Structures are given as structure tokens and as C-alpha cells.
Amino acid sequence: MTDLQERPAGVLGSRLLRREDPALLTGEAKYTNDLNVPGALHLAMVRSPYAHARITSVDLSAALAVPGVVAAYSGADLAGLWAGPMPCAWPVTEDMKNPPHYPVATGTACYVGDGVACVLATSATAARDAAELVDVQYEPMEAVVDLEDALSDRVVIHTDLGTNKSYQWDLKIEGEPGQVDAAFAAAAYTVKERYVQQRLIPVAMEPRAVCAVPQPFGGDMTLYSATQVPHILKVMTALTLGIPEHQMRVVAPSVGGGFGSKLNVYAEELLCVALARKHGAPVRWNETRSENHLATIQGRGQIQHIELAADADGKLTAVRVRLLADMGAYLQLVTPGIPLLGAFLYAGVYDLPLAYDFSCTSVFTTLTPTDAYRGAGRPEATYAIERAMDALADTMGIDPMELRRRNFIRKEQFPYTAMTGLVYDSGDHDAAATKAAELADYDGVRARQAAQNVPGAKKVIGIGQASYFEMCGLAPSRVLASLNYSAGGWEAATVRVLPTNKIQVVTGTAPHGQGHETAWSMIVAEKMGVAPEDVDVLHSDTAIAPLGLDTYGSRSLPVGGVAIAMACDKVIDKAKKIAAHQLEADEADLEFAGGTFSVKGTPDRALPLAAIAFEAFTAHNLPDGMEPNLEAHTTYDPPNFSWPFGTHICTVEVDTETGQVDVLQYVAVDDCGVQVNPLIVEGQVHGGVIQGLAQALFEEAVYDDDGNLKSGTLAEYLVPAASDVPSLTLGHTVTPSPTNQLGVKGIGEAGTIGAAPAVINAVVDALSHLGVRDMPMPASPQNVWAAINAATQGASK
Amino acid sequence: MIPAAFDYVRAGSAEEAIALIGEHGEDAKFLAGGHSLLPLMKLRLAQPSVLVDIGRVEDLSYIRDAGDHIAIGALTRHMDVEKSPLLAEHVPLLAHAAGHVGDPQVRHRGTMGGTIAHADPASDLPATTLALGATYVAQGPNGTREIAAADFYQGFLESALAADEMLTEIRVPKMGGAGWSFQKFNRRAQDWAIVGVAAWRRNGDSGVALVNMGSTPILATSVSGALAQGASVSDAAQLAAEEAEPQSDLNASPEYRVHLAKVLVRRALEQASA
Ligand SMILES: Cc1cc2nc3c(=O)[nH]c(=O)nc-3n(C[C@H](O)[C@H](O)[C@H](O)COP(=O)(O)OP(=O)(O)OC[C@H]3O[C@@H](n4cnc5c(N)ncnc54)[C@H](O)[C@@H]3O)c2cc1C
């Protein structure tokens, strides 16, 4: 069931179909690989088959002999092309260790898939054939796959660093010294849990694709890339390659999904630009699906230790968290910051006193680097606290829903200053939980469960909940500064009324599937009183939209969308001055509604925006000193994050003989504040929930002890299809954000954040009568079967 | 994801195909639906120098009533097997199992001959035809011969076919109203079975074969033997893995596979006996 809102009168809040879809569905949309670039050379990478190996020699001669091959290079051959190593923009601590990382490795290969040589040819097939013939000799060394093993420094990967530890980052908040320890000592109940966040492989529909087009005589360079971050990429490419920034243009054509994996600066992007410069010819590269599994960043990869202390009523009195986070072989763009995006959220949606003790230690392994993946740190945090809450309820012998209700931050406490100092803007957790419980028939399922989960039952049911906060709208620049992030968190917008009253919006966001063109046109239509079709949205080309900080972290609407609304206000202010001038009225007496300025109380003294737009263009009769044209620019730095929240409830049936988990029902009640377009909101929730459910039940990047990826294809890395997942029951509550004029919060990651803990809580709940207390992710049939065996054999001892 | 270079020739008839394979020798391969061969080539795990495309040999796409058995041409697509009224009437187990191969795209391209010749122990129809006591017809430069399914599977992706032999027909005995069941256990609908069971039962007779429980499809003769001697379904199912040599992969350890085989054989026999 989908909770249909009554259709509002205005544009905002209506279920407008996405204007992006016809072009995407008919193949008219152009992806990077669709660009027809005459004379382009094709790049192919030679990748290390070893997780950790000294490169003793690279023989390119056989590759160079392949017809069509133009050049082939080892890492050493290219050393002169880089002005600096590949960028990491988030040095989270002063003493963070960051090994130099170049697009093609020179001395040592540090993961399976690390580039060790490359080939340029006139066709992609010749490049691929030649790459197979590059003869690289290796001296294999021991792989480091396990995080605790990495921490032991038994094998140090980057010998110059002397350790595998990259950093330790602590956040200890106590009302009085020793409060955390005291709370644990005095607690009526405590739980101490260890959870593993398996590595996930982001599988965007469109793998990465790059095409660098030089203008050899002017020195300008255009980089087309399937990226979420054209603006960041422009700055970073300029810096890393020593290209003057004003000569660098980055375009993200249609981009087929990213989920964080395209929030990066990749070796192949830098290589294409560097080689295009060197050869004076366009250079392009398309990632294969197999390369996507090896050489695109991966998500998650953490071992989490979480301890809760609670009083006799189950009220939380302290939270202690120790994280061990897997950086992979190198630090990519924001690798070290990912675990810290969750650092503030390990108390979840609960009213915790000043007794919070968080520490994250990060280590290098000889595996593909990790970085942002949908939710980035926040799903991990929510998983830990929501699983631990269930463990606490189990210890206390009370219903987990009841335990949560006792601890929720209450509606009247908002805006709520959390122990971390962050201010949660608005929320009503109890309302979301109540609505979800109704939709899920929580009490009914509990009654069915009592009847069904009897000793010897072959099919048992369980119900699990997760209540979450999503810290999104990244981000207030000063907060980012306090976290040592190297950039701000603002967003830019330009709103321009053309002479015929059509409106152009230039945004710094970089959509790659989210529907910004539709949503931004709706915001402008609502503000300016025009039809959404009359609004064009320009984006993702640094020559057209020079300022921006791109799309990630559910930031685009609460930052970029709000910037557009603010720019509209500026345009309206100016138009009002023109209207007052023309109507010979006082500005204060004018009102603007439905695209028309009129004198209050005298509606026939009115001027439509269309007339003012034309006046602004002709400039024949403007107020003295006013500049022609109707255009305004805004850069908006949000004063706070926004805090969407909600409750997800999952009901599962588990086959105790085979371990198979069947999701019977999935309810998601999300509150993202005001919804610009409920259709798009639902799409985001659908995708997000399935991605979280995929972590819970299906997906895992599996490595053997030698660091070989065992889930190297989509036959082993189990991305679920529509036939493998349930229909979702969506509901929502609407609690507007007080920090921005639209009241919006963001919805991109919410589903992913709620889903994994809700599903695993349900699976554990289904098996709790057998003594099962925890379940590794993914809850594959084999893992479930093993957990049942371990619990029942333990019991029969 | 880009195969190594190869040559491509198209055959108009079985005779022509066999002649072409003979001409190009060792590294030549038949190409039928391409849904097993091309993925291997894209990963460069197979690098044939010549592909002899038999996909358009139209007179090998048929499903015919041949008296005591149904004859299926090697180029018949899985989808045609799934939808065949003749098979639904006489060999419902096979039609049903064909509906569980991959996804609709795969079933529209993959062929009966291709899946048998490929001899993948994880595939559904080799085991199903084995359980049904099928006979395969092979044609070579010197004529045709019949090979019993029980003699056909010789090792992992290895069959009794000679390099210059082409599989032309699959003959499946009519089931004569036997009870049957096909159990496919997997994590995603489109996947190969982690363990699968094809079973039929009529009076004291039965046929039970296992998918993905060894290097070949496995005929669970101990189960049928026990049933013939009057064992209960659950007792017979305990013998499910007697002939199996299950391997380990990301989805299942050998122990888990043995466990699954017992559970699934029991469920299959219960359904076939109902
Ligand atoms: C995504 C996907 C999912 C799949 N899922 C399943 C599944 O769940 N269950 C399942 O059983 N199968 C599955 N398959 C495999 C599918 O059934 C294949 O189509 C089938 O196994 C091979 O048939 P083909 O016609 O495509 O053979 P091809 O790929 O063309 O050939 C396979 C091999 O057999 C040889 N060959 C083909 N025809 C003949 C012949 N007539 N005589 C001699 N040799 C021949 C070829 O030379 C080649 O070596 C899946 C395939 C894909 C791509």
C-alpha cells in the first residue's frame, strides 16, 4: 500500500512524472560512452592479480606489437606526469597516515586490481588484447585481509609508514569526568555486542566511463566522466595534473547511478587527462563490470563494538563504541571520513545523557580502497545501535518496540541539542513508530508469532524494527571545518528569467538518477508562478554551472534546492521593484501570487511576471540605476544539517530446515519534511530500502586469505532483482525542517539506513526461541542454518 | 568482458556444422544459444578460435510425440520446452524444470542441446533428463549413436560427446502419470541452484537426480533403491547424498549441501507421492 497524499493545489507536493525519464527510457539520453569523439584513443588497464606484490619488471614489448597499439606505459614511465599524488580531501586527524597513491603503481601493487601498467590503442579491443600481453613480473608478498590482523602490523603494507594504522579518532562526551565508566558500573542492564559490516560493492547500472578531450593549441581540456562530482573533480584534476583550473572543464553527461562510488577522483580519470595531454588526442576508457568489482571503491568494511548501559527502566545511561574501519589499500577522496560520518549517530534516536564514548581506529589492508557508499557511515551506526537496542530488550525481557518508546527523544524536546552538540531540527519518533506499527500490524504479527514459533516448527516468523535519524544536507561549512574536511558544504544556484518568461536555473548539484531537473523545476514553478515545463535546469557542466559542490550525502534538496528557492526570492524582489515602478505603486503595497504582482486590495492594478521579464530585458523603463535583466545568484551555506527520520518494520518467515529467509512484509515510514514530489520520494525509498535489504540478505564482497576477490562477477556478488525482494508498504509523516524556507530534509539514503537493521532484527527475532542472538550479514541461508545449528547444539549440550 | 578474437561461421544444417567442426579442429566450438559459452569467452576462460553457429539450424527445433517417448530437437529453446503442451501432458517434470532455468531472456536463447552438451552439474535440465532416464542422440562424421543419460556425464563440463560430434536430439520417456517434483534451492530467482532435485515416483519405481551435488549431475540411486524396498520417504531421503560428492562455494559448504539435499529430496518425494 502506498500512502497517497491528497493532491495539493500547487505544484509543490504533486506527483509530477519525472521529465528525465522519457530520454532515459528511450535511449536518447547520452552517457559518457555514447559520446561520439572522432580520433579517440582507448585506454586499457593492466591490473595486479596479486593483493600484495613487489613489481620486479614490466615488459611492454609484446603489447606494443599489437596492431592498433599507440603506446604502453608502466607506472615508472608515467611518474613525470603527476604534480602530486591522488587526492584525499579528508585528513581527519593531524597525524593521519596517508601513503602516496599514484594512478599507476610503481614499486608495489597493494590490492588485486591495482593498476600496474596501461595501454593506449586505436580501438578498445586492441587495447584489451594488448593489455593481456603486458608481461609484469611480481614477487608476491603476504596479503592483509583481516582487520584485526592488519592492526597487529604483522605485515606492514606501506613500509614507509611503519604501520598499517592510518588514524585513531576519538569523541568522548561526558557531563562530568568518568561519567561513562560510572554509568556502566551503576547500570541495571548492559549489553556488549560485536557486529561486522561486510564490504559491499557498489553496482551502478552504468559502470565508470571517462573521455578526456584536449584542445592541444589552446591548452584547454574537457573531461567527460560518469561522476557525481564534476566540480570537485575539476579542482582535483587541475591540482593533481598541474593544469590551470580555468582551462579545465568537467562534464558529467547522463550518469547511470553512483551511490557514492562516483563521489571520487579515480586513477582512470587522471590517466585519461594526462595521456590526452601527452598525446594531443582524446583518450577514453570504459570500465568493464569485472573491473567495477575490483577497482571502483567499496562500501562499509567495519568491525563494530558497541556497549549500552541502561537503568532499571531501560533508559540509556551511556554508549561506548569502538570501531575498526577498513580503509583498503589507499585513501581515496573521502575514505578516512566515512566512519566518522556515523560518529555522532551511535546513540540513534534516543535521549542520551552526556555519556558517550566513541573511538574509531582505521587500518590499511591489501584490498580495494573503501569510500562512500549510500549512507556512508550512517547505515553502519544505525545498524549497531538498532541491533544493540534489540539485544538490550532481549536482555531485559521486554518488547523492543517498548524499549525504543521509553528512550525516544520526545517531540516536545525538538529542536534537540544532542550530547554531541549537534542540534536535531525537528522530529516525532513516536508518531513514525506508531504509524509503522499500524501498517505492519505489529500486535497481530506478535500474536501469530506466538502461535507459530513453537518447538519443532519448520516455518517461523519474526518482526524487526529500526528507528533512525539521517544526518543529511551536507553540510554547514564550519562543521566540516571542525572535522578537517578540505572543502565547504554550500551550494550555488542561479535563477534567470528569459525575455519570454521562460526560466533557466543553473544548479551546482550533479544529479545521476535522482530527478533534480523535475524537482528543481517544481520549486521554481511554485515560487515564480510559472508552469514547471517553463523551467529549464542546467547542471553538471563546469562551463555552464561553474560553482557547485555536487551531489552526495542527501544534500541536493536541503542545500541546492533551498539555494534555488533563495535565488527565486532575489529575482522576485527585483521584479517587485520593477512592478512598483511600472504600476506607480509603493513596493510595500504589492503582493506576488500566481506569477502576478498586484496592488493589495486593488487586484486590477496588476502586472504579470511575463511583462516584467520583458521590461527587464528591453530595459526601456526601469527604475533609475537598476541593472537590466532578471537574474540572481545565491550561494547557500546551511546553518545546520537536516535530520530526516523514521521507523521501518520488517516481517520475515524463516525456513528452519534450509535457513531461507522470506520477507513477508516491509513497512517504511519516513519523514523527510516537506515532500517536493512524493513520486520521487517513493522512488528514493524503494531503491534505498532494497539496497539496505541487499546488505542484510544478499551482498558481500568475499575475499580469500590471499586477498583474491571471490565475488568477482554478478553471478557471485548477489545483487537482488525485482523478483527477489518484497513489495514495500510506504507511509510517511511530515515534520517540516525549521532551518530552511522549504521545510525539506532529504531522502536519498534513508531507506538504506533503516533497512539492514530492520531485516536482521526480524531474522534474529524469528529465531530467538531457538536461542539465536545474532546473525552475520548477509543472512544467507547457509549463515542462518549455521546460526540455528550453533544455538540449538549449544542448548543441547 | 571483451572476448579474445575468434572467427565465426554459420552452419545451415547438422551435416554442415559437423563438417565445419571437423575442418577447423580442436579449437572450434559449436555455438547454440551462447548463454554458457559467451560468458566464458567474455571472461576469457574459453578462447575458441572458431565458432560454428548452429543457432539457425531450424530443423533441429521441435518437440514430437514418438510413441513411448517425446523427442526434442537439440536447438529447441528452454522457453519452448517450458510452454510445450505435449510435454505438459507426457513429461510435466521437464516442462516445469525448464521454467526454472535462469530468467526469461535466458530461456528464450538457451537451447536444450546446449545445456546437455555443456554438462554443467549446476544446470537444471541435465539432472532432470537424467532422473527421467533420457537418451541423447549424437551425430558425427560417421553417423549417429544413442547415449543413455546415465552414461553421458563424465566429469565437470565433460560429456561422452566426441569433439566432432553434435548433439541432435533428446529423447525423454513419457512419465505415464507418475507423481513428480522439482525443487530448486537458490538465493535469487535467476540463479543456478545451490542444490536442486528432480524426482518422479510411480508405484515402486522412482527416479531422483541432484543438481549441483558433484562434478556431474548425480543420480540418487540409493534413494530409489530404498524406496523400491519399501522405505519411508523420510528414511529414503536420508540417503540423498550417498552418490554425491558436493563441492564448496560461496553459497554452501559440502556439509550444508548434503543437508539441503536430504531436506529437498524429502520434500520432493513428499510432493511426488501426494
Ligand atoms: C544469466 C544466466 C542464468 C542462467 N541460469 C541458469 C539456470 O538457472 N539453470 C540452468 O540450467 N542454466 C542456466 N543458464 C544456462 C543456460 O541454460 C544456457 O543457455 C545453457 O546452459 C546452454 O545452452 P546454450 O544453447 O546457450 O549453449 P551454448 O552456450 O551455445 O553452448 C554451450 C556449450 O555446449 C556446446 N554445444 C551447444 N550446442 C551443442 C550441440 N547441439 N552439440 C554439441 N555441443 C553443443 C557449445 O559448443 C558450448 O561448449 C543461465 C545462463 C545465463 C547466461
Side-chain angles (χ1 to χ4, degrees):
Chain A
M1 187 206 82
T2 292
D3 207 344
L4 283 175
Q5 226 180 2
E6 67 286 12
R7 217 187 150 92
V11 179
L12 220 60
S14 67
R15 304 174 68 85
L16 197 66
L17 292 180
R18 298 188 348 150
R19 62 165 63 174
E20 291 87 344
D21 288 340
L24 292 170
L25 293 172
T26 58
E28 182 186 298
K30 291 276 177 282
Y31 294 84
T32 298
N33 190 28
D34 295 325
L35 302 175
N36 186 4
V37 181
L41 300 174
H42 295 259
L43 174 73
M45 300 297 295
V46 179
R47 299 187 184 279
S48 171
Y50 296 104
H52 193 197
R54 206 161 288 122
I55 303 165
T56 53
S57 70
V58 179
D59 180 355
L60 304 164
S61 53
L64 286 166
V66 172
V69 169
V70 171
Y73 301 102
S74 69
D77 296 338
L78 299 171
L81 296 182
W82 321 118
M86 288 176 46
C88 172
W90 205 336
V92 294
T93 60
E94 297 295 315
D95 60 352
M96 182 186 84
K97 300 242 177 357
N98 179 17
H101 179 203
Y102 287 93
V104 181
T106 48
T108 310
C110 292
Y111 64 97
V112 174
D114 205 356
V116 294
C118 65
V119 177
L120 270 190
T122 51
S123 73
T125 41
R128 188 70 259 152
D129 284 343
E132 299 266 311
L133 297 175
V134 172
D135 183 11
V136 184
Q137 295 295 318
Y138 300 91
E139 209 174 276
M141 296 185 278
E142 269 192 276
V144 182
V145 176
D146 178 81
L147 299 191
E148 278 143 356
D149 182 38
L151 192 60
S152 78
D153 282 338
R154 186 183 58 84
V155 176
V156 174
I157 302 160
H158 302 287
T159 43
D160 289 349
L161 303 181
T163 175
N164 292 326
K165 189 166 135 181
S166 178
Y167 68 83
Q168 181 181 332
W169 191 94
D170 299 330
L171 178 69
K172 190 163 190 177
I173 293 151
E174 296 188 317
E176 47 201 76
Q179 187 166 340
V180 171
D181 287 345
F184 275 97
Y189 300 99
T190 59
V191 291
K192 184 173 183 174
E193 305 293 316
R194 178 184 188 271
Y195 302 123
V196 177
Q197 296 284 331
Q198 80 271 35
R199 276 176 170 253
L200 300 177
I201 298 175
V203 183
M205 202 80 98
E206 182 202 18
R208 290 186 290 130
V210 184
C211 181
V213 182
Q215 261 141 29
F217 297 105
D220 287 0
M221 175 69 69
T222 303
L223 170 61
Y224 299 90
S225 183
T227 182
Q228 324 176 199
V229 290
H231 298 90
I232 294 173
L233 186 58
K234 183 193 71 166
V235 176
M236 291 301 177
T237 316
L239 289 175
T240 312
L241 294 170
I243 297 175
E245 189 188 341
H246 62 288
Q247 293 196 304
M248 193 68 221
R249 172 184 173 199
V250 176
V251 183
S254 287
V255 177
F259 312 110
S261 74
K262 293 174 181 167
L263 187 197
N264 228 307
V265 177
Y266 280 105
E268 295 85 358
E269 289 169 322
L270 297 169
L271 264 175
C272 283
V273 173
L275 294 174
R277 259 178 127 194
K278 185 176 167 75
H279 287 265
V283 173
R284 69 194 312 168
W285 173 79
N286 292 305
E287 186 181 52
T288 64
R289 189 54 74 186
S290 310
E291 285 179 297
N292 176 246
H293 283 230
L294 296 173
T296 288
I297 63 90
Q298 297 181 357
R300 318 285 187 253
Q302 294 181 358
I303 296 174
Q304 308 171 297
H305 296 269
I306 181 167
E307 292 174 71
L308 306 183
D311 67 16
D313 293 329
K315 275 280 292 168
L316 294 180
T317 53
V319 174
R320 190 186 281 136
V321 177
R322 295 289 176 269
L323 284 193
L324 188 54
D326 185 353
M327 303 285 94
Y330 304 102
L331 303 181
Q332 284 274 356
L333 189 64
V334 290
T335 304
I338 300 305
L340 308 188
L341 283 172
F344 310 98
L345 291 175
Y346 279 85
V349 295
Y350 308 114
D351 186 20
L352 185 74
L354 296 175
Y356 188 70
D357 178 7
F358 171 95
S359 175
C360 174
T361 301
S362 289
V363 291
F364 295 107
T365 54
T366 56
L367 304 178
T368 300
T370 60
D371 207 314
Y373 181 62
R374 203 167 191 168
R378 291 155 291 161
E380 295 93 312
T382 304
Y383 183 85
I385 178 66
E386 288 304 283
R387 285 285 302 119
M389 287 299 276
D390 265 35
L392 179 60
D394 184 58
T395 303
M396 294 176 64
I398 66 170
D399 190 275
M401 173 76 83
E402 171 60 22
L403 178 68
R404 286 182 172 82
R405 287 191 197 278
R406 289 183 196 175
N407 280 283
F408 281 148
I409 298 166
R410 294 185 316 282
K411 183 182 177 184
E412 58 276 14
Q413 288 175 284
F414 289 95
Y416 174 88
T417 304
M419 41 56 201
T420 53
L422 292 169
V423 178
Y424 300 161
D425 53 0
S426 62
D428 188 348
H429 299 296
D430 209 72
T434 299
K435 185 156 191 178
E438 277 168 23
L439 289 171
D441 186 21
Y442 191 86
D443 296 335
V445 174
R446 283 270 178 245
R448 265 165 56 207
Q449 181 181 40
Q452 193 172 329
N453 292 15
V454 295
K458 289 180 179 154
K459 295 278 174 88
V460 294
I461 56 176
I463 188 163
Q465 170 185 358
S467 297
Y468 73 90
F469 249 140
E470 180 189 355
M471 182 179 88
C472 72
L474 295 153
S477 297
R478 288 184 180 184
V479 178
L480 291 178
S482 73
L483 290 170
N484 264 5
Y485 185 64
S486 310
W490 48 263
E491 196 46 81
T494 301
V495 171
R496 184 181 296 143
V497 187
L498 303 177
T500 59
N501 202 32
K502 307 296 180 196
I503 299 181
Q504 251 178 1
V505 178
V506 182
T507 176
T509 67
H512 41 285
Q514 292 86 348
H516 292 179
E517 293 177 17
T518 303
W520 293 185
S521 75
M522 291 169 75
I523 293 171
V524 175
E526 182 82 17
K527 295 287 286 188
M528 309 289 290
V530 300
E533 308 82 87
D534 289 339
V535 183
D536 190 23
V537 180
L538 305 175
H539 59 83
S540 305
D541 179 343
T542 62
I544 293 172
L547 293 174
L549 285 171
D550 307 314
T551 288
Y552 49 87
S554 302
R555 69 185 302 273
S556 293
L557 177 59
V559 191
V562 171
I564 290 168
M566 292 167 71
C568 287
D569 287 336
K570 287 190 184 173
V571 170
I572 293 166
D573 277 352
K574 180 170 180 182
K576 194 180 222 177
K577 290 195 171 64
I578 301 173
H581 174 73
Q582 305 245 325
L583 291 167
E584 293 176 351
D586 196 86
E587 222 186 299
D589 293 336
L590 291 187
E591 58 187 6
F592 181 60
T596 299
F597 290 93
S598 58
V599 179
K600 286 175 203 156
T602 328
D604 50 334
R605 285 183 65 200
L607 261 186
L609 183 65
I612 297 167
F614 199 70
E615 288 293 343
F617 165 69
T618 63
H620 292 175
N621 182 16
L622 296 178
D624 290 344
M626 178 180 276
E627 292 178 11
N629 285 320
L630 265 186
E631 179 186 62
H633 177 77
T634 299
T635 303
Y636 171 59
D637 197 347
N640 189 2
F641 295 95
S642 67
W643 300 89
F645 64 93
T647 289
H648 291 197
I649 297 182
C650 178
T651 309
V652 299
E653 183 172 75
V654 182
D655 181 332
T656 56
E657 284 190 297
T658 63
Q660 183 96 294
V661 175
D662 191 13
V663 178
L664 299 179
Q665 193 189 29
Y666 194 99
V667 171
V669 173
D670 296 290
D671 190 325
C672 59
V674 172
Q675 300 189 3
V676 171
N677 182 333
L679 196 66
I680 292 180
V681 170
E682 286 163 19
Q684 290 293 317
V685 174
H686 285 159
V689 166
I690 299 310
Q691 232 159 338
L693 184 139
Q695 176 175 15
L697 296 179
F698 292 98
E699 297 181 18
E700 180 177 23
V702 184
Y703 286 90
D704 69 12
D705 292 344
D706 296 324
N708 298 306
L709 181 64
K710 307 303 283 180
S711 51
T713 77
L714 291 175
E716 298 99 17
Y717 188 81
L718 304 185
V719 179
S723 44
D724 309 309
V725 296
S727 292
L728 308 179
T729 304
L730 304 190
H732 61 261
T733 56
V734 176
T735 311
S737 170
T739 50
N740 65 66
Q741 60 159 280
L742 297 175
V744 297
K745 291 188 168 186
I747 192 65
E749 296 151 301
T752 318
I753 291 170
V759 173
I760 297 296
N761 280 341
V763 174
V764 173
D765 181 60
L767 302 172
S768 62
H769 67 293
L770 300 175
V772 172
R773 292 283 166 273
D774 194 17
M775 185 63 61
M777 291 194 288
S780 65
Q782 177 166 245
N783 282 344
V784 173
W785 176 73
I788 293 172
N789 278 350
T792 49
Q793 280 159 15
S796 64
K797 259 183 216 151
Chain B
M1 292 285 125
I2 301 176
F6 60 87
D7 286 330
Y8 170 91
V9 284
R10 186 187 293 165
S13 66
E15 292 70 27
E16 190 187 349
I18 293 157
L20 283 167
I21 282 281
E23 189 180 313
H24 291 286
E26 283 288 279
D27 288 340
K29 278 212 161 279
F30 293 116
L31 173 71
H35 269 48
S36 290
L37 185 53
L38 294 186
L40 291 176
M41 289 171 61
K42 283 183 165 190
L43 294 169
R44 299 200 172 195
L45 295 173
Q47 304 204 359
S49 56
V50 182
L51 290 186
V52 177
D53 186 355
I54 54 175
R56 308 199 189 197
V57 180
E58 297 224 337
D59 59 0
L60 283 183
S61 177
Y62 57 81
I63 300 173
R64 283 185 204 131
D65 192 332
D68 62 342
H69 67 271
I70 303 291
I72 305 172
L75 268 301
T76 310
R77 312 276 165 179
H78 302 321
M79 190 60 88
D80 296 323
V81 172
E82 178 189 351
K83 301 281 187 222
S84 160
L86 206 55
L87 286 171
E89 186 182 345
H90 297 292
V91 199
L93 170 56
L94 180 60
H96 179 84
H100 282 78
V101 173
D103 53 38
Q105 257 176 311
V106 173
R107 298 199 286 277
H108 276 290
R109 296 303 307 164
T111 67
M112 195 70 199
T115 191
I116 302 296
H118 196 56
D120 186 340
S123 286
D124 300 309
L125 305 186
T128 304
T129 50
L130 181 62
L132 288 165
T135 302
Y136 309 139
V137 180
Q139 186 176 338
N142 307 319
T144 63
R145 62 177 178 131
E146 293 183 9
I147 309 168
D151 301 328
F152 186 79
Y153 302 101
Q154 306 204 322
F156 183 68
L157 304 187
E158 273 177 42
S159 76
L161 283 179
D164 58 357
E165 271 184 319
M166 178 173 157
L167 195 66
T168 51
E169 189 173 277
I170 292 95
R171 296 178 179 164
V172 198
K174 291 181 178 174
M175 290 174 64
W180 57 273
S181 175
F182 185 72
Q183 301 282 328
K184 181 166 180 174
F185 189 79
N186 58 13
R187 292 174 65 187
R188 295 181 303 184
Q190 74 196 61
D191 283 330
W192 274 267
I194 297 172
V195 176
V197 177
W200 60 268
R201 208 180 170 191
R202 190 181 49 228
N203 305 323
D205 285 346
S206 66
V208 179
L210 309 177
V211 179
N212 214 3
M213 282 295 288
S215 55
T216 63
I218 303 291
L219 199 58
T221 48
S222 298
V223 173
S224 293
L227 289 173
Q229 286 169 17
S232 70
V233 159
S234 45
D235 286 347
Q238 285 304 313
L239 305 173
E242 288 297 298
E243 289 76 25
E245 288 170 35
Q247 67 291 359
S248 178
D249 61 23
L250 292 184
N251 285 318
S253 63
E255 301 75 48
Y256 181 52
R257 279 211 155 82
V258 167
H259 168 78
L260 280 178
K262 291 177 182 173
V263 171
L264 297 175
V265 165
R266 193 199 73 227
R267 289 181 182 178
L269 292 176
E270 281 168 359
Q271 198 176 23
S273 311

